[in-house]
Amino acid sequence: MNRANGRDNNQCFGSSTGKPLSEDTYDETLRPQLHHTPSENFMNDPNGLVYANDVYHLYHQWNDKDNIPGYQNWGHATSEDLVHWQLHPPAITPDSDDGPFIISGSAVVDEHNTSDLFNESTTPSNRGVVTDTKHCSLNRWRFRDPKAFWYEQDSKWVMLVALASQHQMIIYESRNLIDWFETSRFGNAGQPGYEYECPDLFPLEVEDTDEVRWVLITYVNPGAIRGGGSGTSYFIGDFDGKTFTPIDTSIREMDFGYDDYAGVTFNNVPDGRRLWIGWASNWLYTGVVPTEPWRSSLTLVHELSLTRANITDQHQSLTLRHKPVDLSSLISDTVKETNSPMKPDSIDFPTDGAVDMSIDVAFSSDTESSELSKSASRITIESEDGVNSIEFGVQFADHIVYINRANSGWSSPTFGSLGATSSNIPNNNKVKLRAVIDRSQIELFVQDRIHFASMVFFFQEGRVPARLRYENDEGVMIDHLKLDALKSIWEC
């Protein structure tokens, strides 16, 4: 794969608008090297995720005219491995510069031609994939974000639509993908943000059982309980084809970071896995973050599962587990690996600044009570000159895992107010962490991926992550660490 340079836009990526790109496009200082970004201009919500014709199709909201939210169409990328992405021209575009714009939606594969939109001359490669034919337009501003899927038990289509300002999701059914009938509504539960958005509904088996539960994901903006901006939560329950019934209305956060919004799962994945990807930003500051010529990225693709786990000392619950896509094909070097207790030290980052790190932090229960208030382990990612840094770690005394980006460099009033975040964990003597750190983006997985956080950060003045430092308080030790350097997904 060649870097986009205007010489061959038919390679693994190039300008999706057909315009030549500079030699260093996709190698900009702040550009993530593992996470999907548009070649240029502003991107937000992933849409229409579907597996068809032996490839994964990723569509997303994209203003291909400017680096701010505005003129929205559907950007398009495809992948065979969910790691490397081939960029394509926009899949659906507005009829005029004045709109109506192409907002959130979903894509399905109509294998049985229930819609009668296909005839015998329609090639299999066109079936179920977005075409340029628009059949209708609903210009109802707070009625949005449809997610449709095939419900095999009743041989019908089901669709969720957000009735945003009323904090509800409407559930519809259809036999033909054209005529839809309301069956129920669910809402006014969970996070009390201003609007509900981007619902998704899907079944998952509970790990190590034959039990199947349904998960309903919803997003709120603004007014999320964590940070007041964009937030994600989910409900677990049962679905009978018409009505979703939750087992409770507890607030279950999808992410304890600030930069995971509007995520959705792929339809039609052949092996039944539930694959999800989110938009790694927050509406509080997404239009002003300091990236050019693009703005915004996505999370990695995650495989979701349900498990019963101790969320706190007093509470065991069904919870989502996040398994990020396999990154082993990107490993260029194992920078450090040890299974022995480690003293405080620092490790130089690889030059591309993208790493996958797993670390086990242990705490001795024999530590003197006077030291409990300082029982923490800190991992700091810093620039070469030490001016900019982010930090994450475990505070055993407070039973939390945290991320702190307050010293990361670029800031704005809303970004700066969300400098640090944490999640409660049980009073365990050992905590497993995994961090995928990618120039200006971190995904942190805790306790075998039961807790997850997505955060962006922006070192200033051309600085990039240059070293990793780890240090522990009395009674705390790191007894396992593996740090892999990762290649860019945009080169071979």
Side-chain angles (χ1 to χ4, degrees):
M1 304 179 192
N2 297 326
R3 292 201 177 279
N5 54 21
R7 292 175 298 188
D8 187 354
N9 283 337
N10 292 318
Q11 293 292 327
C12 287
F13 65 91
S15 170
S16 298
T17 58
K19 296 184 293 186
L21 298 174
S22 64
E23 179 69 33
D24 61 355
T25 297
Y26 270 90
D27 195 26
E28 298 91 349
T29 300
L30 297 177
R31 172 89 74 166
Q33 297 297 288
L34 313 176
H35 295 80
H36 179 74
T37 52
S39 55
E40 55 198 331
N41 297 324
F42 180 81
M43 172 186 71
N44 54 301
D45 307 9
N47 298 142
L49 309 185
V50 67
Y51 181 84
N53 308 318
D54 301 321
V55 295
Y56 296 93
H57 292 261
L58 165 64
Y59 303 95
H60 58 81
Q61 295 287 285
W62 186 35
N63 179 1
D64 65 342
K65 296 180 180 294
D66 204 347
N67 207 12
I68 57 174
Y71 176 90
Q72 301 299 114
N73 57 43
W74 268 25
H76 184 202
T78 55
S79 177
E80 296 181 359
D81 61 3
L82 296 170
V83 175
H84 302 87
W85 295 96
Q86 167 75 51
L87 302 189
H88 303 283
I92 315 179
T93 58
D95 293 329
S96 74
D97 288 351
D98 298 323
F101 300 129
I102 311 301
I103 312 298
S104 298
S106 58
V108 298
V109 177
D110 187 9
E111 293 183 355
H112 307 295
N113 194 20
T114 63
S115 61
D116 199 29
L117 295 175
F118 307 103
N119 54 44
E120 293 182 358
S121 64
T122 305
T123 62
S125 64
N126 288 328
R127 296 189 180 187
V129 181
V130 169
T131 69
D132 59 4
T133 303
K134 302 182 183 73
H135 291 280
C136 65
S137 175
L138 289 176
N139 189 19
R140 294 172 60 185
W141 180 240
R142 290 181 170 81
F143 177 88
R144 58 173 181 257
D145 307 332
K147 175 61 189 291
F149 61 92
W150 179 250
Y151 186 71
E152 183 67 36
Q153 292 91 320
D154 292 344
S155 299
K156 67 180 182 182
W157 299 97
V158 172
M159 179 171 67
L160 278 76
V161 178
L163 196 59
S165 59
Q166 296 186 32
H167 296 90
Q168 291 184 329
M169 283 77 75
I170 309 177
I171 298 177
Y172 293 91
E173 66 179 10
S174 174
R175 299 292 175 180
N176 60 9
L177 278 174
I178 297 173
D179 303 303
W180 294 92
F181 304 93
E182 180 179 334
T183 64
S184 64
R185 298 189 180 195
F186 174 79
N188 293 299
Q191 298 194 59
Y194 178 63
E195 292 187 340
Y196 275 180
E197 297 189 300
C198 306
D200 198 356
L201 178 65
F202 49 86
L204 286 176
E205 282 191 4
V206 179
E207 292 177 359
D208 302 320
T209 75
D210 295 327
E211 181 182 4
V212 175
R213 294 286 190 173
W214 285 73
V215 176
L216 192 155
I217 300 177
T218 186
Y219 300 82
V220 296
N221 179 71
I225 59 172
R226 187 178 294 274
S230 310
T232 308
S233 59
Y234 65 96
F235 304 90
I236 298 172
D238 299 305
F239 180 62
D240 62 4
K242 294 181 179 293
T243 302
F244 173 77
T245 305
I247 58 176
D248 58 50
T249 54
S250 300
I251 297 176
R252 291 177 170 86
E253 289 183 288
M254 186 91 160
D255 180 352
F256 72 91
Y258 297 128
D259 297 303
D260 158 25
Y261 196 68
V264 70
T265 61
F266 283 82
N267 277 331
N268 203 47
V269 176
D271 53 9
R273 293 185 300 158
R274 185 55 55 174
L275 302 174
W276 168 94
I277 192 170
W279 175 47
S281 194
N282 191 307
W283 280 111
L284 285 178
Y285 42 75
T286 190
V288 297
V289 297
T291 59
E292 294 284 348
W294 87 101
R295 187 169 278 141
S296 289
S297 61
L298 300 182
T299 68
L300 297 172
V301 175
H302 296 186
E303 181 179 354
L304 301 180
S305 60
L306 274 178
T307 189
R308 293 189 186 277
N310 292 320
I311 305 304
T312 66
D313 289 335
Q314 294 79 31
H315 184 51
Q316 185 181 69
S317 177
L318 276 176
T319 186
L320 281 177
R321 189 195 299 274
H322 293 254
K323 179 183 178 182
V325 66
D326 184 4
L327 300 176
S328 60
S329 65
L330 300 178
I331 297 175
S332 60
D333 181 33
T334 296
V335 180
K336 188 177 184 66
E337 182 172 17
T338 180
N339 291 303
S340 302
M342 301 173 61
K343 296 180 180 180
D345 200 356
S346 65
I347 307 171
D348 289 340
F349 253 46
T351 55
D352 278 346
V355 299
D356 187 356
M357 174 185 183
S358 60
I359 185 169
D360 294 350
V361 183
F363 169 66
S364 172
S365 58
D366 296 330
T367 300
E368 296 291 337
S369 58
S370 60
E371 298 295 329
L372 285 175
S373 62
K374 299 187 295 181
S375 55
S377 179
R378 292 170 293 279
I379 298 93
T380 304
I381 313 299
E382 61 184 15
S383 58
E384 181 67 36
D385 56 10
V387 172
N388 294 151
S389 64
I390 61 166
E391 179 183 298
F392 63 93
V394 183
Q395 293 180 193
F396 285 95
D398 299 321
H399 313 311
I400 63 170
V401 170
Y402 70 92
I403 302 177
N404 189 335
R405 65 182 180 189
N407 192 45
S408 61
W410 179 88
S411 189
S412 71
T414 50
F415 188 89
S417 67
L418 304 183
T421 184
S422 64
S423 180
N424 292 323
I425 57 174
N427 184 19
N428 293 344
N429 287 349
K430 192 168 188 175
V431 177
K432 293 179 178 292
L433 304 177
R434 180 182 176 188
V436 179
I437 305 154
D438 188 11
R439 289 200 180 176
S440 60
Q441 189 168 343
I442 179 173
E443 293 192 38
L444 182 64
F445 304 88
V446 184
Q447 288 183 308
D448 292 323
R449 310 177 304 279
I450 292 172
H451 301 268
F452 159 65
S454 172
M455 296 273 275
V456 297
F457 59 93
F458 306 101
F459 286 4
Q460 286 183 299
E461 299 177 359
R463 299 184 180 98
V464 296
R467 72 174 62 87
L468 176 151
R469 290 191 295 107
Y470 51 90
E471 53 188 335
N472 307 311
D473 289 333
E474 187 71 26
V476 180
M477 70 177 66
I478 294 172
D479 58 14
H480 164 76
L481 184 146
K482 186 172 187 287
L483 184 68
D484 290 322
L486 301 177
K487 296 180 294 186
S488 169
I489 64 172
W490 305 110
E491 65 181 20
C492 291

